[in-house]
Amino acid sequence: MFAGFATGAGILILLMLAGVAAFLLAEGFPAIVAPAEDVPGGQGFVAFAWPLLFGTLLAATIALVVATPFAVGVALFISHFAPRRLASGLGYLMDLLAAIPSLVYGLWGVTVLAPATVPSARWLADNLGFIPLFAGPASTTGRTMLVAGLVLAVMILPIISAVSREVFLQTPRLHEEAALALGATRWEMIRMAVLPFGRSGIISGAMLGLGRALGETIAVALILSGLGIITFNLISGQNSLTIAANIALDFPESSGLAINALIASGLVLFLVTFLVNAFARYIINRRSEFSGAN
């Protein structure tokens, strides 16, 4: 009975995913094949969706690059450095961060983080303006792609940290004791025994966080007022916009083919998320096979 229930649950999940994909394809197809002048922007669906996809990937990449090292560090501190009482409290606090609504993170980003980054953005524009990422002019409000990426980093940090922490705690005790017995310091033991064992967990947590960052809506919509452009400038007031935020902002006032175009952009986001998770699963499986062969 349990095997049948588990199999049925797995099949049901696959059917639900297939249903979502079929809905997005059916509703978005008219915009994909429509004449260019009928699609919002008047240049065709690719020209409509590409800047949004670019903004989505850019914001998610910033979040992943910032969050992953901090999350791994926090996970290592909780699992191997902090006293047991402190580790328990910190673990609970990190898990609690994941329960905060995205609206709260968005409001914090707009009211606190964005104004606080204005002086730093001006300094970056004045001193590192030769780098395309900080070309400026710096935004006077702080509502930039950099702030959006930092807010997403804070949002996905608990996810990556929780997964990494659980994997680190499962490191075979004999491996750790053997490294210490051979004269390794605690950091050398972590580098030789814990991190290699937990690498697949770090990748899994990072991909889960990336999926959250790719689909985040409200927090990004509150921070960015994108123009549908492609720019690597992270501190300017003229930003790219993400697919999810664009759907949330434009859907209530759209009608006809504009709705089909928004749903089609949702299909693009669905495919990107699916490919990211499939690639992560491929890396994890390949690493597991390699470890098993060794």
Side-chain angles (χ1 to χ4, degrees):
M1 290 177 61
F2 179 79
F5 178 79
T7 302
I11 294 175
L12 179 61
I13 292 175
L14 294 177
L15 291 176
M16 292 176 63
L17 287 176
V20 171
F23 165 78
L24 293 174
L25 181 60
E27 294 295 326
F29 189 74
I32 296 175
V33 299
E37 60 272 11
D38 294 339
V39 180
Q43 297 181 345
F45 176 73
V46 174
F48 168 77
W50 170 238
L52 299 175
L53 177 60
F54 174 83
T56 302
L57 296 176
L58 181 59
T61 300
I62 296 172
L64 194 64
V65 170
V66 173
T68 302
F70 283 100
V72 173
V74 170
L76 285 174
F77 178 76
I78 294 175
S79 62
H80 285 82
F81 287 94
R84 180 168 297 181
R85 290 185 178 180
L86 179 60
S88 178
L90 287 177
Y92 176 77
L93 180 62
M94 291 300 299
D95 294 338
L96 187 63
L97 287 177
I100 298 177
S102 59
L103 177 63
V104 175
Y105 281 111
L107 292 174
W108 170 74
V110 170
T111 60
V112 178
L113 185 60
T117 60
V118 171
S120 300
R122 291 174 179 169
W123 185 90
L124 290 172
D126 293 338
N127 297 274
L128 300 176
F130 59 90
I131 301 176
L133 297 176
F134 312 119
S139 172
T140 57
T141 62
R143 299 173 63 179
T144 63
M145 180 62 73
L146 179 61
V147 171
L150 293 178
V151 170
L152 290 177
V154 175
M155 295 178 67
I156 68 175
L157 191 148
I159 300 174
I160 304 175
S161 178
V163 176
S164 301
R165 182 176 74 245
E166 293 303 319
V167 176
F168 292 157
L169 289 173
Q170 294 176 13
T171 304
R173 187 66 179 172
L174 290 177
H175 292 185
E176 298 179 2
E177 293 177 350
L180 294 174
L182 291 174
T185 63
R186 178 174 294 186
W187 165 242
E188 290 173 337
M189 178 271 292
I190 290 175
R191 183 168 55 85
M192 293 185 297
V194 178
L195 290 179
F197 180 84
R199 192 168 298 154
S200 61
I202 296 174
I203 296 175
S204 299
M207 292 302 103
L208 286 175
L210 180 59
R212 171 75 185 276
L214 287 172
E216 179 52 43
T217 304
I218 300 300
V220 179
L222 288 174
I223 297 171
L224 295 181
S225 54
L227 302 175
I229 59 176
I230 297 177
T231 175
F232 286 95
N233 196 336
L234 302 182
I235 61 175
S236 172
Q238 296 183 341
N239 305 291
S240 302
L241 195 59
T242 65
I243 292 176
N246 183 69
I247 293 175
L249 292 172
D250 290 353
F251 199 90
E253 300 177 357
S254 300
S255 61
L257 196 63
I259 291 181
N260 297 116
L262 292 175
I263 295 177
S265 66
L267 175 63
V268 174
L269 180 59
F270 179 88
L271 293 175
V272 170
T273 306
F274 178 81
L275 291 175
V276 167
N277 287 305
F279 180 69
R281 176 56 55 187
Y282 169 76
I283 293 177
I284 293 171
N285 290 340
R286 185 175 181 182
R287 189 170 298 278
S288 299
E289 293 175 358
F290 179 77
S291 299
N294 288 341

